[in-house]
């Protein structure tokens, strides 16, 4: 089990370094000169050169990348070129709002998606199944930012029931959470349905029915427990997806989160903030996926058995498997 966790952790580190390399490279080759944005395109060449040296942009690519990696390894994401504030502090100040909306959206998606998937599977080929499948298809095809705009027009501008921007009150969370949660609801519904259909066709379910056990007990006690194993993985993956997608919704609803910070940084060509936001979001997503993998290893006995066998093979005595002859 320890080997499984270590392997996943090392993969997470490789992913984060890959993200850092890609984002840093994109910022480097961008045709927009950060110096022109900061001091103005009409500034004197001497002023531009001084600013370029101050920011370290006069150094070659590999030197800049190496300096940034050293900085990250010390736990710092640098200083914003635009606001002159610490990037890590800016992110940590805004991240609780982003995380809160993500957790609320996943809680909504789980509470709605799993029951819909179970109903759809148990009532296969019925009107309820067709309705649930159709709604899941619509939800999976609907862009979250478009849905957010429609919700604002319908419930804020026309009806005036909910605020259109901000999360100053709990009512402000309702529309963005719905906009974020629609796609995960559709994904969890479809996954739960497919998993339930696979489980209820197993021999032990037929045996339970042949013994006269009540259908409700069969579904809740036997089928659901095994069917939820892959659903747990999907829920964790959706949480990682939501952490990234919530940035778009923050811009739609004018919410002060990591997404709005990233949006402002892109407009100002603030490379340290851009890289820091993407790297921090990737770290959050990878951490969630790592925790889900660990939880999945505890739930699914096949993974535990796989690593238990590998451990026994490594600890196998040298004389085992053969006979010693005098």
């Amino acid at each position: 089990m320890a080997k499984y966790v270590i392997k996943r952790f090392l993969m997470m580190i490789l992913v984060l370094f890959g993200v850092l390399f890609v984002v840093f490279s994109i910022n480097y080759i961008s045709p927009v000169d950060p110096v022109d944005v900061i001091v103005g395109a009409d500034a004197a060449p001497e002023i531009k050169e001084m600013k370029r040296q101050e920011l370290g942009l006069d150094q070659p690519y590999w030197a800049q990348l190496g300096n940034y990696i050293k900085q990250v390894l010390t736990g710092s994401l640098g200083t914003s070129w635009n606001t002159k504030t610490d990037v890590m502090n800016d992110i940590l100040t805004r991240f609780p709002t982003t995380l809160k909306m993500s957790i609320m959206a996943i809680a909504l998606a789980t509470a709605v998606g799993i029951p819909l998937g179970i109903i759809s599977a148990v009532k296969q080929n019925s009107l309820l199944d067709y309705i649930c499948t159709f709604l899941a298809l619509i939800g999976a095809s609907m862009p979250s930012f478009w849905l957010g705009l429609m919700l604002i027009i319908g419930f804020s501008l026309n009806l005036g029931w909910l605020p259109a921007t901000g999360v100053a009150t709990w009512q402000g969370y309702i529309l963005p959470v719905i906009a974020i949660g629609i796609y995960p609801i559709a994904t969890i519904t479809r996954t739960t349905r497919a998993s339930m259909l696979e489980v209820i066709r197993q021999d032990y379910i037929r045996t339970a029915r042949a013994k006269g056990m009540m259908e409700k007990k069969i579904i809740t006690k036997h089928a659901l427990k095994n069917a939820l194993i892959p659903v747990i993985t999907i829920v964790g993956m959706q949480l990682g997806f939501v952490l990234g997608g919530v940035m778009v919704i923050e811009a739609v609803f004018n919410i002060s989160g990591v997404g709005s910070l990233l949006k402002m940084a892109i407009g100002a060509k603030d490379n340290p903030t851009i890289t820091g936001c993407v790297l921090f979001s990737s770290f959050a997503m990878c951490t969630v996926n790592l925790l889900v993998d660990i939880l999945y290893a505890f739930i699914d006995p096949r993974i535990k058995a796989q690593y238990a066998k590998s451990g026994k093979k490594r600890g196998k005595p040298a004389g085992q498997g053969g006979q010693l002859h005098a």
Side-chain angles (χ1 to χ4, degrees):
M1 187 61 194
K3 178 184 176 183
Y4 178 80
V5 175
I6 293 173
K7 179 181 177 181
R8 294 294 181 182
F9 182 74
L10 293 177
M11 290 175 61
M12 184 182 81
I13 293 177
L14 290 176
V15 170
L16 291 176
F17 272 103
V19 170
L20 187 154
F21 174 76
V22 170
V23 177
F24 190 91
S25 300
I26 291 175
N27 285 331
Y28 182 83
I29 64 177
S30 172
V32 180
D33 190 351
V35 175
D36 289 342
V37 177
I38 295 172
V39 302
D42 298 331
E46 297 81 7
I47 297 177
K48 289 185 178 182
E49 186 60 29
M50 289 177 59
K51 177 58 70 173
R52 197 178 305 278
Q53 293 178 2
E54 177 187 341
L55 300 178
L57 297 177
D58 59 326
Q59 300 178 7
Y61 168 79
W62 291 109
Q64 294 184 39
L65 178 61
N67 291 335
Y68 189 76
I69 291 176
K70 292 177 182 176
Q71 193 177 60
V72 171
L73 291 177
T74 61
S76 173
L77 295 178
T79 302
S80 169
W81 292 348
N82 187 31
T83 62
K84 306 301 181 183
T85 56
D86 185 71
V87 173
M88 180 66 80
N89 289 337
D90 291 343
I91 294 174
L92 293 178
T93 302
R94 295 167 177 260
F95 184 67
T97 302
T98 300
L99 181 62
K100 187 185 299 183
M101 285 196 300
S102 300
I103 293 176
M104 292 171 67
I106 287 299
L108 174 66
T110 304
V112 175
I114 291 179
L116 287 180
I118 295 172
I119 293 172
S120 182
V122 173
K123 303 294 183 180
Q124 185 183 14
N125 297 327
S126 67
L127 179 61
L128 278 176
D129 180 25
Y130 294 145
I131 292 174
C132 293
T133 303
F134 176 75
L135 292 177
L137 180 62
I138 294 297
S141 307
M142 194 180 302
S144 59
F145 67 88
W146 178 85
L147 177 60
L149 292 173
M150 294 302 102
L151 291 174
I152 291 174
I153 294 173
F155 292 94
S156 298
L157 298 182
N158 293 338
L159 297 176
W161 291 353
L162 298 169
T165 60
V167 287
T169 61
W170 65 268
Q171 291 94 337
Y173 284 97
I174 296 177
L175 295 185
V177 166
I178 292 175
I180 300 167
I182 288 296
Y183 181 84
I185 287 175
T187 304
I188 293 173
T189 299
R190 297 166 68 183
T191 304
T192 304
R193 180 183 185 276
S195 182
M196 281 292 296
L197 287 175
E198 181 180 354
V199 170
I200 61 180
R201 291 167 181 165
Q202 298 296 321
D203 291 338
Y204 71 91
I205 298 295
R206 296 193 186 98
T207 302
R209 286 172 175 162
K211 290 181 177 180
M213 187 177 295
M214 294 179 60
E215 186 69 15
K216 182 179 179 181
K217 188 175 181 180
I218 292 174
I219 296 299
T220 57
K221 186 175 180 180
H222 297 285
L224 184 58
K225 181 179 178 181
N226 293 323
L228 287 182
I229 291 178
V231 176
I232 292 173
T233 303
I234 294 299
V235 170
M237 292 175 62
Q238 289 303 305
L239 179 55
F241 168 81
V242 165
L243 280 171
V246 72
M247 297 183 178
V248 178
I249 296 300
E250 288 176 359
V252 173
F253 288 90
N254 193 26
I255 297 172
S256 181
V258 178
S260 59
L261 178 64
L262 178 60
K263 177 187 174 184
M264 291 187 295
I266 293 174
K269 200 61 176 68
D270 190 350
N271 289 356
T273 304
I274 295 172
T275 309
C277 288
V278 175
L279 191 60
F280 186 87
S281 300
S282 301
F283 173 76
M285 295 172 64
C286 289
T287 302
V288 170
N289 290 333
L290 175 63
L291 294 176
V292 171
D293 287 340
I294 295 173
L295 177 62
Y296 194 77
F298 278 106
I299 294 174
D300 193 342
R302 292 171 295 182
I303 295 180
K304 284 196 268 189
Q306 174 186 351
Y307 282 89
K309 286 180 181 179
S310 62
K312 289 179 180 179
K313 288 179 181 179
R314 290 196 305 273
K316 189 175 181 180
Q320 188 174 343
Q323 295 182 356
L324 297 177
H325 300 278

